């Protein structure tokens, strides 16, 4: 706890709760991530330059835009003038008033910041959900980029880090900005495994799937000629059929692109094709202006571990986004949205266990908000088969058991107290699963939950039973 907060006898969590409740009651929205960062910085007595440096924003933007607007909305919500200098005093006074009310009116229920109909934290977080946690400046950079002609955004992060939830928000933003925008989200996991072994079959499926998503007439066979190669046929189909038919901007988002990494027989040609489309869209070399209407979003879970010509790869152009785990401030903000009042020690203990992993944090808060168990019970059982993470851990365990070489590599990681250097493909596969963090050419276990669970689970059965 910081000195400035101690002097006022109010924790940051309490200050955030009061501020967020007041803003939500006034505006029906929660404080944004960047506003929470500025709020915390102000409570710590930080100057705008330091706050801006910590959240990777321009100081002028924080000083002349976010800050003044935050004090304005807090003033309107709290019913008195709020500034950077008197913020703590105002919130401490409000906290004191609330304690007095609760003391003399014990029958009054403590209201949560929002009455949530909690959705299970599995899969894509709905667009209208208050439980989506922004990671500034990721969203703003993506929203700005997707409005550019010929844009290409590459989103990379391990499994269950929120890549697809970000992707759907980028598509929604693109549509909101322009009524003539059409969007397609295509998961490459939808293709049958046999298709990946033949480029011609794969590109036919690719064109047909996009045609179906756009609800256009199916004309793939009309544009497929034996005279030309599969890549030329696919390009002609987009140039002469898809782009003219929609007569506007097409934002094409390809999810689970890692599936192609597993099939080198098609990977080089497919990724070269995407790179050529990006160059057509960005630079207009073909002279066909319709290509400028194509914008690409590519989503994958790990580093590209197949050899690609750097001049033909789509993975070294456009805007690169690598999603990180949640910070302590973001975890605190999310707890508030779930209506939870966790102490600083409890939040720190959760961070130590799951290291801000978005899915694991959401799971914890969901179960706590539903009052299925206490925080102490959650922590005590977390690394066991009786804990809330059992299904998640079992899924990873099955994957490791099905690939003994991968399991052996991960055993080496969790047994070591220092970063370990693994064969590159194994390191990248473990990273895509979210089990390790990459540190240059070395890896470490991504969080204490995984280290403790798999240290026991990967032992030979005879050893475990001793």
């Amino acid at each position: 706890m910081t000195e400035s907060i101690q002097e006022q006898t109010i924790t940051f969590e309490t200050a955030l709760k009061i501020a967020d409740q007041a803003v939500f009651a006034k505006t029906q929205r929660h404080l944004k991530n960047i506003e929470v960062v500025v709020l915390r910085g102000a409570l710590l007595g930080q100057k705008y330059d330091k706050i801006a440096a910590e959240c990777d924003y321009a100081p002028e933007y924080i000083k002349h835009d976010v800050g003044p607007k935050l004090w304005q909305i807090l003033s309107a919500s709290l019913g008195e003038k709020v500034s950077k200098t008197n913020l703590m005093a105002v919130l401490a006074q409000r906290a004191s008033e609330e304690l007095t009310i609760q003391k003399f009116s014990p029958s009054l229920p403590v209201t949560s910041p929002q009455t949530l109909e909690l959705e299970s934290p599995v899969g894509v977080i709905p667009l209208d959900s208050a439980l989506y946690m922004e990671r500034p400046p990721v969203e703003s950079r993506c929203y700005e980029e997707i409005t550019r002609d010929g844009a290409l955004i590459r989103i990379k992060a391990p499994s269950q880090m929120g890549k697809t939830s970000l992707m759907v928000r980028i598509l929604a933003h693109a549509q909101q900005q322009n009524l003539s925008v059409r969007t397609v989200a295509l998961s490459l996991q939808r293709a049958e495994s046999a298709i990946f072994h033949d480029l011609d079959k794969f590109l036919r499926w690719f064109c047909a799937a996009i045609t179906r998503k756009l609800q256009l007439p199916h004309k793939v066979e009309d544009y497929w000629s034996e005279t030309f190669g599969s890549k030329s046929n696919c390009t002609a189909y987009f140039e002469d059929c898809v782009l003219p038919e929609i007569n506007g901007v097409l934002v094409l988002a390809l999810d689970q692109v890692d599936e192609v990494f597993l099939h080198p027989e098609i990977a080089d040609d497919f990724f070269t094709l995407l790179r050529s489309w990006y160059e057509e869209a960005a630079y207009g070399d073909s002279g066909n202006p319709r290509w400028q209407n194509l914008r690409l979003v590519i989503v994958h879970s790990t580093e590209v571990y197949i050899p690609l010509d750097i001049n033909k790869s789509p993975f070294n152009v456009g805007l690169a986004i690598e999603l990180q785990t949640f910070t302590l401030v973001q975890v605190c903000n999310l707890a508030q949205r779930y209506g939870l009042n966790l102490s600083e020690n409890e939040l720190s203990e959760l961070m130590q266990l799951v290291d801000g992993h978005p899915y694991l944090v959401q799971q914890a808060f969901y179960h706590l908000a539903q009052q299925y168990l206490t925080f102490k019970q959650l922590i005590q059982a977390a690394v066991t088969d009786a804990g809330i993470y059992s299904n998640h851990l079992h899924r990873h365990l099955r994957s490791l058991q099905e690939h003994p070489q991968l399991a052996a590599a991960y055993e080496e990681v969790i047994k070591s107290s220092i970063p370990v250097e693994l064969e590159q493909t194994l390191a990248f596969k473990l990273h895509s699963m979210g089990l390790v963090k990459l540190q240059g050419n070395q890896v470490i276990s991504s969080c204490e939950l995984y280290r403790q669970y798999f240290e026991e689970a990967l032992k030979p059965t005879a050893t475990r039973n001793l």
Side-chain angles (χ1 to χ4, degrees):
M1 192 180 298
T2 65
E3 183 179 349
S4 59
I5 292 179
Q6 283 180 324
E7 289 174 355
Q8 297 291 338
T9 65
I10 179 175
T11 66
F12 170 67
E13 287 74 21
T14 300
L16 175 60
K17 179 179 179 180
I18 292 169
D20 191 65
Q21 282 182 336
V23 170
F24 186 82
K26 181 72 174 179
T27 66
Q28 297 301 298
R29 77 160 177 87
H30 289 282
L31 289 173
K32 300 175 183 177
N33 288 351
I34 185 60
E35 292 172 332
V36 174
V37 171
V38 173
L39 183 75
R40 185 181 186 88
L43 293 174
L44 294 173
Q46 294 177 344
K47 294 184 177 181
Y48 283 122
D49 286 354
K50 183 170 177 58
I51 296 173
E54 290 185 354
C55 61
D56 197 24
Y57 274 91
E60 294 76 15
Y61 176 60
I62 300 297
K63 183 176 182 179
H64 300 297
D65 190 323
V66 180
K69 288 180 180 178
L70 176 59
W71 314 138
Q72 185 177 22
I73 194 172
L74 286 174
S75 297
S77 302
L78 293 167
E80 60 181 294
K81 180 69 174 177
V82 176
S83 66
K84 188 170 180 289
T85 54
N86 76 345
L87 173 66
M88 176 55 78
V90 173
L91 294 179
Q93 178 63 32
R94 182 59 61 94
S96 175
E97 292 171 357
E98 289 189 2
L99 285 174
T100 301
I101 291 173
Q102 290 179 22
K103 178 179 179 180
F104 291 101
S105 304
S107 61
L108 290 177
V110 178
T111 58
S112 65
Q114 183 180 14
T115 303
L116 289 172
E117 185 175 336
L118 294 176
E119 62 266 11
S120 178
V122 177
V124 178
I125 299 177
L127 283 172
D128 60 350
S129 174
L131 302 180
Y132 177 78
M133 178 58 58
E134 290 190 352
R135 282 170 268 194
V138 166
E139 285 79 8
S140 60
R141 293 181 66 193
C142 290
Y143 296 159
E144 180 181 359
E145 185 68 21
I146 202 62
T147 62
R148 302 180 191 277
D149 290 346
L152 168 61
I153 299 174
R154 295 179 284 114
I155 303 171
K156 180 183 71 174
S159 175
Q160 297 183 307
M161 285 280 288
K163 301 183 299 297
T164 306
S165 293
L166 172 61
M167 180 192 79
V168 299
R169 281 161 175 79
I170 295 171
L171 299 184
H173 180 81
Q175 286 186 309
Q176 290 169 0
Q177 300 305 303
N178 191 334
L179 295 177
S180 67
V181 169
R182 300 288 301 276
T183 64
V184 171
L186 180 64
S187 171
L188 298 189
Q189 278 191 335
R190 298 290 178 87
E192 296 179 4
S193 57
I195 291 175
F196 287 100
H197 298 291
D198 182 272
L199 181 67
D200 192 72
K201 287 182 179 179
F202 176 75
L203 291 182
R204 284 175 185 255
W205 170 84
F206 183 70
C207 290
I210 292 169
T211 299
R212 178 181 291 178
K213 290 269 189 177
L214 290 169
Q215 299 182 325
L216 298 177
H218 182 79
K219 299 179 181 179
V220 176
E221 299 305 321
D222 297 344
Y223 285 83
W224 228 258
S225 168
E226 294 183 2
T227 305
F228 302 100
S230 302
K231 290 196 294 183
S232 293
N233 287 331
C234 185
T235 299
Y237 183 72
F238 267 77
E239 186 170 273
D240 299 336
C241 183
V242 175
L243 294 175
E245 281 278 356
I246 65 173
N247 194 30
V249 172
L250 172 61
V251 182
L252 176 57
L254 305 179
D255 201 1
Q256 304 288 349
V257 169
D258 309 73
E259 290 292 320
V260 183
F261 298 169
L262 303 174
H263 302 278
E265 60 269 38
I266 71 166
D268 187 76
D269 283 318
F270 179 60
F271 292 133
T272 298
L273 179 65
L274 293 183
R275 171 65 178 261
S276 70
W277 287 0
Y278 160 74
E279 291 180 344
E280 291 279 14
Y283 308 117
D285 293 340
S286 69
N288 189 333
R290 285 201 177 97
W291 281 107
Q292 294 179 10
N293 289 331
L294 177 66
R295 296 164 193 174
L296 294 169
V297 181
I298 298 176
V299 182
H300 57 111
S301 295
T302 189
E303 301 286 347
V304 183
Y305 53 81
I306 53 176
L308 293 174
D309 185 332
I310 61 171
N311 297 312
K312 297 179 180 179
S313 170
F315 297 102
N316 56 7
V317 291
L319 173 64
I321 296 294
E322 185 166 2
L323 292 182
Q324 305 296 324
T325 53
F326 289 157
T327 64
L328 179 58
V329 172
Q330 290 165 341
V331 170
C332 179
N333 192 343
L334 188 60
Q336 177 70 19
R337 297 185 190 188
Y338 271 93
L340 299 173
N341 188 22
L342 300 178
S343 69
E344 288 187 17
N345 287 339
E346 288 172 330
L347 288 169
S348 296
E349 192 171 0
L350 181 63
M351 285 291 286
Q352 185 176 1
L353 181 69
V354 302
D355 196 40
H357 188 293
Y359 173 77
L360 300 179
V361 171
Q362 292 269 11
Q363 280 283 345
F365 289 168
Y366 173 78
H367 283 81
L368 291 173
Q370 297 283 34
Q371 299 182 347
Y372 292 147
L373 74 179
T374 65
F375 183 83
K376 184 177 179 180
Q377 291 169 334
L378 185 154
I379 295 295
Q380 287 178 337
V383 299
T384 73
D385 290 336
I388 66 168
Y389 299 123
S390 59
N391 290 336
H392 174 81
L393 294 169
H394 290 168
R395 180 172 60 82
H396 280 316
L397 181 60
R398 284 194 298 271
S399 296
L400 291 172
Q401 290 172 335
E402 289 169 2
H403 301 88
Q405 194 177 12
L406 208 57
Y410 192 50
E411 266 195 288
E412 185 181 350
V413 173
I414 58 181
K415 286 179 179 178
S416 176
S417 59
I418 60 175
V420 173
E421 186 166 350
L422 299 177
E423 190 274 319
Q424 189 182 62
T425 302
L426 294 174
F428 285 165
K429 287 181 178 178
L430 288 171
H431 178 253
S432 73
M433 296 169 68
L435 293 177
V436 301
K437 290 181 178 180
L438 302 176
Q439 292 189 348
N441 294 326
Q442 299 177 317
V443 301
I444 59 170
S445 185
S446 58
C447 68
E448 190 65 15
L449 173 72
Y450 294 153
R451 191 194 65 77
Q452 289 187 30
Y453 179 82
F454 290 109
E455 191 172 43
E456 182 67 24
L458 291 177
K459 287 180 181 177
T461 305
T463 306
R464 290 205 306 269
N465 291 336
L466 289 177

